[in-house]
Amino acid sequence: MILKYILILGALQGFMLAGVIYFKNSRQIAHKYLASLLLVISLGCLADNDLGFFNLNYHIIIWAGNSFLMAPLLYLYIDQLVSYKRSFHKKTLLHFLPFVAFKILILVIHYSELNKSQFLILTGVVLNFGLIVYNLIYIFLAFTLVRSDQNNLLLKRAVNLIKTLLWVFLIYNVIFLFRRIFDLISPAELAFFENYLYVGVAILIYFISFKIINQPNIFIIKSKYEKSAIDQKDIAVYGKKIERFFEETEDYLNPKFNMSLLAEDLKLEKHKLSQIIGGYFNTNFYDLLNYYRIQKVCDQLLLAENKKLNLFGVALNCGYNSKSTFNAAFKKVKGITPSQFLSLSKEKGEIRTI
């Protein structure tokens, strides 16, 4: 009985927390992913156990397959924090295809005349081992994202929360892996396992609530500029103008290009430009400049006619006068060294001609 109350209270707290995160900064896509993740794990507190909150039919409809949502949502939350652009990309939907496919398959099997043993085989093989591998891949990719851009402003604010989520998720999957292996060696009824494991999930929900109370700037991104003369509409308008500037001109490849020149081109004061870059791209001018310069370097490295140039020769053409500065900027943006990027591109056959 006490366990039921713990899970119910944890779930209710999670639902409320998801609402707070979603509406506190609804224009931040990253936090929509985090809110969605909290909704899923909170629902798990009620549905992923044998405590009788739902009968089998409702369990299939409400919960079955939702485990395929957790890892993608956590990954996309981190990915959105480390990316410079805020827009939603349709390719993001590809991350949810396994969930959709598995959900449909489960519903078809459950409501068809097929032998229910097939259903048990499906959940036993796919959910047990396939899901664990699926989750571990996403965890690895998420850890890689965190390491690739540790100077990102939003990532710095939320780094403790992110690392906690990743480590908890990793530990849970390792525990599940050992449990599944034990099931194969010595089958036993362990339905109670999820009951107590979700107590840890409830504790995690309260931990996130504690972080919001003690460090609200993790989720309130616009607070720095709330009293600025620039409102959010202007930030969005000028942010798009800055994107077009970098995408349609090559002025930024001049080694002497600086923030003053960009402000002059946009007819803005420097301090306002700084606020716009911080508010729209979640970064500073020099990180933004390096991002676009490194993108140009990569494009140039992939052109066959540049194969006679060494790496730094291409960097010189893209605004870098210092080899160490170039290498550091490249590693920060891409997560690998220029040489590693070039080697991988050659292996994949990505070198092209105009």
Side-chain angles (χ1 to χ4, degrees):
M1 184 63 70
I2 294 177
L3 182 59
K4 274 192 173 185
Y5 286 127
I6 291 175
L7 296 184
I8 290 173
L9 290 175
L12 292 176
Q13 177 69 20
F15 293 144
M16 290 188 292
L17 179 59
V20 170
I21 293 175
Y22 187 94
F23 293 107
K24 201 71 173 176
N25 201 359
S26 59
R27 68 187 181 87
Q28 277 290 326
I29 296 176
H31 297 144
K32 292 181 181 179
Y33 289 131
L34 179 60
S36 299
L37 174 62
L38 281 167
L39 284 174
V40 173
I41 65 175
S42 299
L43 187 59
C45 287
L46 300 178
D48 194 18
N49 54 59
D50 68 338
L51 297 177
F53 291 116
F54 301 104
N55 62 35
L56 180 60
N57 283 331
Y58 285 116
H59 175 86
I60 295 296
I61 295 171
I62 295 173
W63 177 253
N66 287 8
S67 297
F68 280 93
L69 289 173
M70 296 183 187
L73 287 171
L74 180 56
Y75 170 81
L76 289 170
Y77 166 55
I78 299 171
D79 180 55
Q80 197 67 29
L81 287 183
V82 302
S83 66
Y84 287 107
K85 296 183 180 181
R86 295 176 171 182
S87 57
F88 176 84
H89 297 287
K90 292 182 179 179
K91 290 183 178 179
T92 301
L93 295 174
L94 296 175
H95 291 277
F96 303 108
L97 283 181
F99 159 72
V100 174
F102 189 71
K103 189 75 172 181
I104 292 173
L105 195 55
I106 285 181
L107 290 173
V108 169
I109 291 175
H110 182 65
Y111 290 105
S112 69
E113 298 301 323
L114 294 174
N115 191 322
K116 289 299 184 288
S117 64
Q118 296 179 19
F119 175 76
L120 296 176
I121 293 173
L122 176 70
T123 55
V125 175
V126 178
L127 262 181
N128 293 349
F129 290 101
L131 178 62
I132 291 171
V133 173
Y134 179 77
N135 287 343
L136 291 176
I137 291 173
Y138 268 104
I139 292 170
F140 171 77
L141 294 174
F143 271 115
T144 302
L145 282 176
V146 174
R147 290 196 302 268
S148 70
D149 197 3
Q150 296 186 25
N151 292 318
N152 179 282
L153 176 61
L154 289 181
L155 197 59
K156 277 184 175 181
R157 290 177 179 175
V159 68
N160 290 331
L161 171 62
I162 289 171
K163 288 183 177 179
T164 299
L165 289 171
L166 284 173
W167 279 109
V168 168
F169 203 50
L170 176 61
I171 292 170
Y172 268 46
N173 276 274
V174 171
I175 292 173
F176 270 112
L177 178 60
F178 280 107
R179 177 205 161 166
R180 301 311 178 190
I181 294 173
F182 179 79
D183 285 346
L184 291 177
I185 298 173
S186 178
E189 178 56 47
L190 296 174
F192 67 88
F193 184 83
E194 280 81 2
N195 302 350
Y196 291 97
L197 204 60
Y198 269 98
V199 172
V201 173
I203 293 172
L204 178 64
I205 291 171
Y206 279 98
F207 167 77
I208 298 173
S209 301
F210 175 80
K211 293 293 291 185
I212 289 181
I213 294 171
N214 288 274
Q215 197 179 352
N217 65 338
I218 290 177
F219 303 101
I220 307 174
I221 310 305
K222 64 182 180 181
S223 60
K224 183 178 179 181
Y225 305 115
E226 279 180 343
K227 297 181 180 179
S228 169
I230 301 177
D231 61 30
Q232 297 304 312
K233 290 183 179 179
D234 287 337
I235 288 177
V237 169
Y238 279 104
K240 291 177 182 178
K241 285 184 178 181
I242 294 170
E243 286 182 340
R244 287 197 298 271
F245 172 87
F246 282 106
E247 292 169 358
E248 297 175 3
T249 77
E250 293 189 347
D251 294 350
Y252 64 95
L253 300 181
N254 186 326
K256 296 182 179 179
F257 182 78
N258 56 34
M259 191 172 181
S260 297
L261 293 174
L262 179 59
E264 183 179 339
D265 185 271
L266 297 172
K267 297 179 174 55
L268 281 172
E269 297 175 4
K270 280 181 63 177
H271 74 277
K272 289 186 178 180
L273 175 60
S274 178
Q275 292 178 7
I276 290 167
I277 291 174
Y280 188 82
F281 295 97
N282 300 321
T283 189
N284 58 57
F285 169 77
Y286 290 103
D287 282 349
L288 184 65
L289 176 61
N290 280 325
Y291 172 79
Y292 280 103
R293 281 181 172 175
I294 295 303
Q295 294 300 113
K296 178 61 72 171
V297 168
C298 292
D299 289 341
Q300 293 299 309
L301 288 174
L302 295 179
L303 292 176
E305 55 267 31
N306 289 330
K307 64 183 180 180
K308 293 182 180 180
L309 292 175
N310 58 33
L311 288 171
F312 188 55
V314 175
L316 285 172
N317 293 336
C318 295
Y320 291 99
N321 290 326
S322 165
K323 189 173 182 179
S324 61
T325 301
F326 164 64
N327 287 333
F330 196 100
K331 182 71 178 292
K332 182 177 180 180
V333 173
K334 291 296 180 180
I336 56 177
T337 66
S339 298
Q340 289 172 331
F341 172 83
L342 193 55
S343 297
L344 289 172
S345 300
K346 289 178 180 178
E347 290 177 7
K348 295 177 181 178
E350 295 178 341
I351 307 298
R352 62 185 186 276
T353 57
I354 294 179

